[in-house]
């Protein structure tokens, strides 16, 4: 129940963790809560604040070790102790160095029985974005592609509207609201002039990041024109002309200078470090094939969502979802551990994580 509650914070609490809490007394659930929004009540205090019964002697189940430091909110350990909770069951310890076992120590020192590790694997999976970000200060990277059954992301003419159906596209907008940033390459932006925003009411808008070595995003593009409404970042190298940078800044676009790789393009690893320093804890990489290759070949992808539409369009020059020069040998291919294959309207969604090969 606590894990289910925690998932209610998806897309609202970043870069904080997803946390749920349930209070049980005499075999009954007397309250429940979760971290609903960044800066808002933590799950433990949310559950305590809405409880109308006496919590003395109750058990609290919580998906993450209660915090013991002052941040946007006071320590949850203090609230638990004041409430008279006698037992706390924790799914996983908090990897945040400010907590990291100290929360459990404080509770035990106050006489509270603390048990850890119940449903730990599920809790870690739920908070995989937070765990990576708090441990490395680099964003969790999700690569999303949409292709036809014969592996094309667009017709030979470049037309790509639409590869997948309405249900799949709605799910993609949910994903845009779930992750803090969305990434596209300048080639895709110039070809499609996208908005890269989330079109579901009530969901957060992602930071729009364009990988654009020369800062050649046109000031008249949809991204530049709406940068006052939706935060927009152009990741470029030192080779970008100052005139281009000044023009984009004049539109409200944030420019982010990154190191360049051997090919003169933005070094993706350096870009991830810099975005992490801007508190961007997760990225959805949407387009296009060249950017996809940069992330895959550099080993920067943490999760894959690959939509497959049941249609064939052909074309020897039609693009696939991942471009670049490719690996020269099949033995060098990046393995993917498939977690699920599900129906999404008329389309299919393959979801997986980087594998270790066979």
């Amino acid at each position: 129940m606590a894990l289910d509650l925690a998932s209610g914070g998806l897309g609202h609490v970043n870069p904080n963790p997803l946390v749920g809490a349930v209070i049980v007394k005499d075999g009954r659930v007397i309250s429940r809560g979760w971290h609903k929004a960044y800066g808002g009540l933590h799950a433990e205090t949310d559950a305590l604040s809405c409880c109308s019964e006496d919590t003395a002697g109750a058990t609290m189940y919580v998906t993450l070790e209660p915090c013991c430091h002052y941040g946007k909110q006071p320590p949850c350990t203090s609230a638990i102790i004041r409430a008279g909770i006698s037992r706390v069951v924790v799914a996983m310890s908090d990897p945040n160095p400010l907590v990291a076992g100290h929360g459990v120590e404080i509770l035990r020192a106050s006489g509270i029985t603390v048990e850890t590790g119940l449903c730990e694997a599920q809790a870690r999976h739920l908070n995989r974005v937070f765990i990576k970000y708090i441990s490395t200060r680099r964003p969790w990277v999700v690569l999303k592609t949409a292709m036809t059954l014969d592996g094309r992301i667009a017709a030979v003419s470049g037309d790509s509207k639409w590869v997948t159906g309405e249900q799949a596209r709605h799910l993609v907008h949910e994903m845009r609201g779930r992750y803090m940033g969305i990434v596209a390459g300048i080639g895709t932006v110039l070809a499609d002039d996208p908005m890269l925003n989330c079109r579901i009411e009530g969901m957060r808008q992602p930071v729009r990041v364009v990988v654009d070595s020369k800062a050649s995003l046109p000031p008249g593009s949809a991204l530049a024109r709406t940068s006052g409404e939706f935060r927009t970042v152009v990741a470029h190298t030192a080779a970008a002309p100052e005139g281009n940078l000044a023009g984009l800044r004049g539109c409200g676009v944030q420019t982010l200078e990154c190191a360049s790789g051997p090919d003169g393009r933005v070094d993706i690893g350096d870009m991830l470090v810099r975005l992490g320093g801007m508190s961007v804890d997760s990225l959805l990489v949407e387009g296009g094939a060249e950017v996809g290759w940069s992330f895959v070949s550099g080993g920067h992808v943490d999760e894959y969502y690959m939509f497959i539409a049941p249609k064939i369009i052909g074309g020897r020059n039609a693009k696939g979802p991942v471009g670049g020069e490719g690996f020269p040998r099949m033995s060098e291919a990046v393995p993917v551990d498939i977690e699920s294959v599900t129906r999404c309207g008329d389309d299919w969604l393959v979801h997986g994580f980087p594998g270790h090969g066979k």
Side-chain angles (χ1 to χ4, degrees):
M1 187 184 296
L3 287 165
D4 287 342
L5 289 166
S7 64
L10 279 168
H12 302 288
V13 303
N14 311 63
N16 281 356
L18 299 163
V19 187
V22 177
I23 302 175
V24 176
K25 187 173 183 179
D26 299 327
R28 296 181 300 110
V29 173
I30 62 172
S31 189
R32 63 196 80 191
W34 70 96
H35 186 30
K36 297 180 174 71
Y38 178 72
L41 291 177
H42 291 182
E44 301 93 323
T45 50
D46 183 48
L48 290 169
S49 67
C50 64
C51 185
S52 59
E53 299 189 35
D54 182 12
T55 54
T59 294
M60 176 180 284
Y61 294 84
V62 62
T63 59
L64 183 70
E65 178 182 4
C67 68
C68 53
H69 65 287
Y70 281 89
K72 298 285 184 181
Q73 294 288 327
C76 290
T77 49
S78 300
I80 292 170
I81 294 168
R82 286 196 305 271
I85 299 290
S86 63
R87 175 172 171 255
V88 177
V89 180
V90 178
M92 62 171 283
S93 61
D94 191 338
N96 186 341
L98 294 174
V99 185
H102 300 306
V104 167
E105 290 175 1
I106 289 171
L107 293 176
R108 284 176 173 158
S110 72
I112 296 174
T113 299
V114 181
E115 300 171 30
T116 62
L118 181 65
C119 297
E120 181 176 358
Q122 295 95 312
R124 293 184 67 84
H125 181 74
L126 180 68
N127 263 318
R128 56 193 182 275
V129 170
F130 172 73
I131 292 170
K132 179 185 178 182
Y133 180 71
I134 203 68
S135 302
T136 68
R137 290 295 170 182
R138 290 164 65 101
W140 179 267
V141 176
V142 177
L143 178 64
K144 189 280 298 182
T145 64
M147 60 185 173
T148 60
L149 200 57
D150 56 338
R152 269 69 168 182
I153 62 173
V156 68
S157 65
D159 176 53
S160 61
K161 292 183 172 58
W162 295 103
V163 175
T164 54
E166 185 175 340
Q167 191 168 326
R169 298 198 300 274
H170 181 84
L171 179 55
V172 170
H173 279 280
E174 288 184 3
M175 294 169 67
R176 289 181 179 183
R178 186 184 309 163
Y179 301 108
M180 284 192 75
I182 181 170
V183 178
I186 185 60
T188 294
V189 170
L190 292 176
D192 298 341
D193 195 26
M195 280 287 289
L196 299 180
N197 63 332
C198 175
R199 295 164 202 171
I200 299 177
E201 187 176 352
M203 296 198 76
R204 181 189 54 201
Q205 292 296 333
V207 178
R208 305 179 301 181
V209 181
V210 183
V211 183
D212 183 8
S213 301
K214 299 294 179 63
S216 54
L217 178 70
S221 65
L223 289 172
R225 285 187 289 102
T226 58
S227 58
E229 183 180 1
F230 307 113
R231 187 179 178 190
T232 306
V233 176
V234 166
H236 63 91
T237 69
E242 185 55 41
N244 290 7
L245 296 172
L248 291 174
R249 291 173 189 143
C251 296
V253 174
Q254 182 178 352
T255 57
L256 180 67
E257 183 175 326
C258 304
S260 58
D263 57 1
R265 298 180 178 181
V266 169
D267 182 285
I268 298 299
D270 184 63
M271 183 186 78
L272 292 175
V273 170
R274 294 175 186 273
L275 289 172
M278 294 161 56
S279 297
V280 176
D281 74 345
S282 50
L283 290 172
L284 178 65
V285 181
E286 277 211 38
E290 297 305 307
V291 165
W293 168 251
S294 296
F295 277 89
V296 171
S297 62
H300 301 301
V301 180
D302 297 299
E303 190 168 2
Y304 293 90
Y305 283 92
M306 311 191 83
F307 292 89
I308 303 173
K311 59 184 71 169
I312 295 174
I313 197 166
R316 65 174 60 89
N317 295 320
K319 291 183 178 180
V322 179
E325 66 264 26
F327 297 111
R329 289 176 291 276
M330 191 60 69
S331 60
E332 297 177 65
V334 174
V336 178
D337 287 340
I338 304 301
E339 183 179 77
S340 63
V341 179
T342 55
R343 194 74 181 261
C344 188
D346 292 330
D347 307 306
W348 291 90
L349 173 59
V350 179
H351 176 222
F353 298 89
H356 304 291
K358 301 297 184 183

